[in-house]
């Protein structure tokens, strides 16, 4: 299999590529992740994923052969508002208070650059996540664990937050940040086989 450049520092995304036995190296893109004014919340991750692929492609040495580049971006959307990674403990508490007892969407956008065809394909995966009602003591306990650090929406579905997740409609890997079905489908469509 040809190696893929993963335009993400996420350990979870790296774990998924390892699970699929896809050889990869990480190049973290440098870009402003502010979406354009008026872009619908559900479109933000796909837009940012494409921007990350472009930033990595531009960072490679001039004249180098561009390989496969993969990027993903995840946001949490509740009532049309985007919840990214909290910048403070207070913001993480605010996020969890907003989510408790409600259903929100975990939206992950994917972008894949095919160096052979000089073509970028994108895809979006949306999963609905329902949190059970949470007491202040439960929110405080979760915040104290530190599990919220660096996670969109202040939680990781594969971590301790699963204590409070009542229902999920969609795929777990999409909430984790790299939807396996969509990734496999995109690779297959582009002629990249993981079945050998």
């Amino acid at each position: 299999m040809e190696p893929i450049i993963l335009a993400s520092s996420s350990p979870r995304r790296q774990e998924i590529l390892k699970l699929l036995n896809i050889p990869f190296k990480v190049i973290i893109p440098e870009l402003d992740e502010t979406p354009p004014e008026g872009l619908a919340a559900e479109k933000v991750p796909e837009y940012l994923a494409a921007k990350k692929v472009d930033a990595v492609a531009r960072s490679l040495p001039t004249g180098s052969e561009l390989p496969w580049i993969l990027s993903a971006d995840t946001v949490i959307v509740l009532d049309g508002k985007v919840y990214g990674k909290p910048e403070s403990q207070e913001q993480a508490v605010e996020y969890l208070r907003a989510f408790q007892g409600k259903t929100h969407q975990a939206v992950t956008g994917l972008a894949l650059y095919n160096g052979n065809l000089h073509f970028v394909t994108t895809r979006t995966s949306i999963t609905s996540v329902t949190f059970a009602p949470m007491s202040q003591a439960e929110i405080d306990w979760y915040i104290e664990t530190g599990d919220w650090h660096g996670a969109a929406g202040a939680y990781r579905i594969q971590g301790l937050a699963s204590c409070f997740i009542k229902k999920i409609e969609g795929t777990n890997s999409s909430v984790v940040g790299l939807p396996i079905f969509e990734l496999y489908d995109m690779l297959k469509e582009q002629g990249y086989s993981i079945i050998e």
Side-chain angles (χ1 to χ4, degrees):
M1 269 185 274
E2 295 175 87
I4 286 179
I5 291 175
L6 175 62
S8 170
S9 60
S10 163
R12 262 64 54 199
R13 292 183 181 127
Q14 293 174 36
E15 284 166 15
I16 288 171
L17 290 183
K18 286 175 187 166
L19 171 75
L20 298 172
N21 288 317
I22 295 173
F24 68 94
K25 73 174 190 172
V26 172
I27 297 180
I28 300 165
E30 288 185 34
L31 77 150
D32 175 11
E33 293 194 29
T34 309
E37 200 70 29
L39 185 65
E42 291 78 13
K43 303 278 184 196
V44 169
E46 196 172 300
Y47 170 83
L48 290 176
K51 294 288 279 184
K52 289 176 185 179
V53 163
D54 185 59
V56 165
R58 290 176 190 279
S59 75
L60 297 174
T62 309
S64 65
E65 217 168 279
L66 290 179
W68 296 89
I69 305 171
L70 171 67
S71 180
D73 192 82
T74 303
V75 298
I76 303 301
V77 179
L78 175 65
D79 299 328
K81 182 180 174 187
V82 171
Y83 293 79
K85 295 173 185 171
E87 293 173 15
S88 65
Q89 187 168 308
E90 293 72 31
Q91 193 172 46
V93 168
E94 181 190 314
Y95 285 11
L96 292 175
R97 279 191 187 138
F99 300 155
Q100 63 89 27
K102 294 183 184 166
T103 299
H104 62 261
Q105 282 67 47
V107 184
T108 297
L110 288 173
L112 177 68
Y113 175 77
N114 179 335
N116 301 319
L117 299 177
H118 309 287
F119 180 74
V120 176
T121 183
T122 60
R123 202 75 61 88
T124 293
S125 174
I126 300 176
T127 295
S128 292
V129 180
T130 304
F131 266 68
M134 295 169 74
S135 67
Q136 191 56 50
E138 288 172 324
I139 291 172
D140 291 343
W141 170 79
Y142 181 71
I143 294 298
E144 284 302 311
T145 68
D147 200 40
W148 59 272
H149 282 284
Y155 75 90
R156 289 188 171 81
I157 199 164
Q158 73 279 21
L160 294 169
S162 57
C163 292
F164 310 108
I165 293 169
K166 187 176 178 181
K167 185 168 75 167
I168 137 171
E169 292 176 73
T171 65
N172 203 56
S173 62
S174 180
V175 186
V176 169
L178 191 59
I180 294 172
F181 172 77
E182 284 79 1
L183 172 61
Y184 177 73
D185 202 45
M186 287 168 80
L187 289 168
K188 188 167 75 169
E189 187 180 273
Q190 295 297 314
Y192 186 106
S193 177
I194 68 167
I195 302 168
E196 291 187 346

